[in-house]
């Protein structure tokens, strides 16, 4: 995750081999992607909420995966705009597994209402994204990540929709997430310890 640092440090991170870069704010992602236009191997990950009026510019970037599709509305809006631009946008569906109402993401129930819409022209749904609740002990986080994997397995079985990617795990719980089957972890603060 490059979301905590400026363009210069983001470039340093990239030069260290971190070519997958995560941002929580669309405008910052645009800015940095622009600065990185001479580094075509950079791959961008949007992990924060994508407001409707920011969709057009975000999906037009060369390499961006939207992790944070948190409602059917957002999914449809991305699909519609992608069709207008003749694109297929890779996305993940964000699920709120912690039950924490303050958290973003769809409940497992609303997720299961969205799945029957797939496949949907304009988007390629690659998997699920989830966060453990704030301040969750690692062993509880592990259980929540296991629930995400089970949810994915249930969906695959019930709807025959493959959701290969599981984006879960942050600085404090990435080991638990990997043990639970994460295919992508989103590590931020750990990368910069001692720097700030
Ligand atoms: C900030 C953020 C991360 C990284 O968090 P750290 O604890 O700093 O590693 C991961 N995922 C999301 C959705 C975030 O907003």
């Amino acid at each position: 995750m490059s979301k905590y640092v400026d363009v210069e440090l983001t470039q340093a991170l990239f030069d260290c081999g971190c070519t997958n870069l995560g941002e929580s704010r669309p405008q910052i992602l645009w800015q940095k992607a622009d600065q990185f236009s001479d580094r075509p191997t950079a791959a961008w990950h949007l992990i924060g909420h994508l407001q409707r009026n920011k969709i057009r510019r975000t999906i037009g970037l060369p390499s961006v995966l939207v992790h944070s599709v948190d409602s059917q509305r957002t999914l449809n809006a991305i699909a519609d705009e992608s069709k207008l631009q003749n694109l297929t946008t890779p996305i993940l569906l964000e699920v709120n597994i912690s039950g924490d109402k303050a958290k973003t993401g769809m409940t497992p129930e609303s997720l299961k209402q969205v799945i029957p819409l797939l496949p949907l022209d304009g988007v390629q749904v690659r998997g699920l994204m989830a966060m453990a609740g704030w301040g969750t002990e690692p062993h509880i986080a592990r259980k929540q990540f296991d629930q995400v994997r089970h949810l994915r397995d249930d969906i695959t079985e019930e709807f025959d929709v493959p959701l290969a990617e599981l984006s879960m795990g942050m600085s404090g719980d990435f080991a638990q997430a990997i043990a639970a089957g994460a295919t992508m972890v989103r590590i931020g603060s750990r990368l910069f310890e001692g720097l700030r």
Side-chain angles (χ1 to χ4, degrees), residues 91-94 124-129 162-166:
I91 63 126
L92 305 177
L93 297 170
E94 182 179 351
Q124 183 197 28
V125 179
R126 292 203 180 153
L128 302 180
M129 185 271 240
L163 296 166
E165 305 289 351
L166 292 177

Side-chain angles (χ1 to χ4, degrees), residues 75-84 86-89 117-125:
L75 179 69
N76 283 326
I78 294 174
D80 290 347
E81 183 59 38
S82 300
K83 282 186 281 183
L84 285 178
N86 242 327
L87 295 171
T88 299
T89 303
L117 304 175
L118 308 180
L120 185 63
D121 278 352
V123 290
Q124 183 197 28
V125 179

Side-chain angles (χ1 to χ4, degrees), residues 59-85:
I59 64 173
L61 294 172
S63 171
V64 63
L65 173 65
V66 182
H67 288 231
S68 44
V69 177
D70 54 8
S71 69
Q72 183 170 328
R73 259 178 78 121
T74 304
L75 179 69
N76 283 326
I78 294 174
D80 290 347
E81 183 59 38
S82 300
K83 282 186 281 183
L84 285 178
Q85 295 192 34

Side-chain angles (χ1 to χ4, degrees), residues 25-186:
R25 294 177 49 209
Q27 300 97 307
I28 308 280
L29 194 151
W30 304 341
Q31 254 176 32
K32 288 189 181 173
D34 195 41
Q35 304 269 351
F36 272 69
S37 52
D38 60 339
R39 300 170 193 232
T41 53
W44 298 95
H45 298 260
L46 181 69
I47 58 170
H49 181 67
L50 179 56
Q51 302 91 328
R52 211 188 164 84
N53 61 353
K54 308 233 160 58
I55 291 175
R56 185 177 53 79
R57 188 151 171 201
T58 302
I59 64 173
L61 294 172
S63 171
V64 63
L65 173 65
V66 182
H67 288 231
S68 44
V69 177
D70 54 8
S71 69
Q72 183 170 328
R73 259 178 78 121
T74 304
L75 179 69
N76 283 326
I78 294 174
D80 290 347
E81 183 59 38
S82 300
K83 282 186 281 183
L84 285 178
Q85 295 192 34
N86 242 327
L87 295 171
T88 299
T89 303
I91 63 126
L92 305 177
L93 297 170
E94 182 179 351
V95 55
N96 180 345
I97 207 76
S98 68
D100 180 346
K101 292 237 166 34
K103 282 266 167 194
T104 50
M106 293 178 250
T107 61
E109 295 71 37
S110 25
L111 178 66
K112 285 192 173 180
Q113 287 170 0
V114 167
I115 297 292
L117 304 175
L118 308 180
L120 185 63
D121 278 352
V123 290
Q124 183 197 28
V125 179
R126 292 203 180 153
L128 302 180
M129 185 271 240
M131 268 182 275
W134 294 126
T136 304
E137 296 279 334
H139 70 281
I140 308 281
R142 168 66 200 261
K143 292 200 176 112
Q144 294 178 355
F145 297 142
D146 282 333
Q147 283 174 39
V148 178
R149 193 190 66 245
H150 289 141
L151 178 64
R152 188 276 307 275
D153 294 346
D154 287 350
I155 288 172
T156 302
E157 195 170 323
E158 192 178 337
F159 301 95
D160 197 24
V161 171
L163 296 166
E165 305 289 351
L166 292 177
S167 165
M168 49 191 197
M170 317 194 338
S171 291
D173 53 21
F174 67 87
Q176 286 75 18
I178 292 167
T183 60
M184 299 181 186
V185 290
R186 306 180 310 271

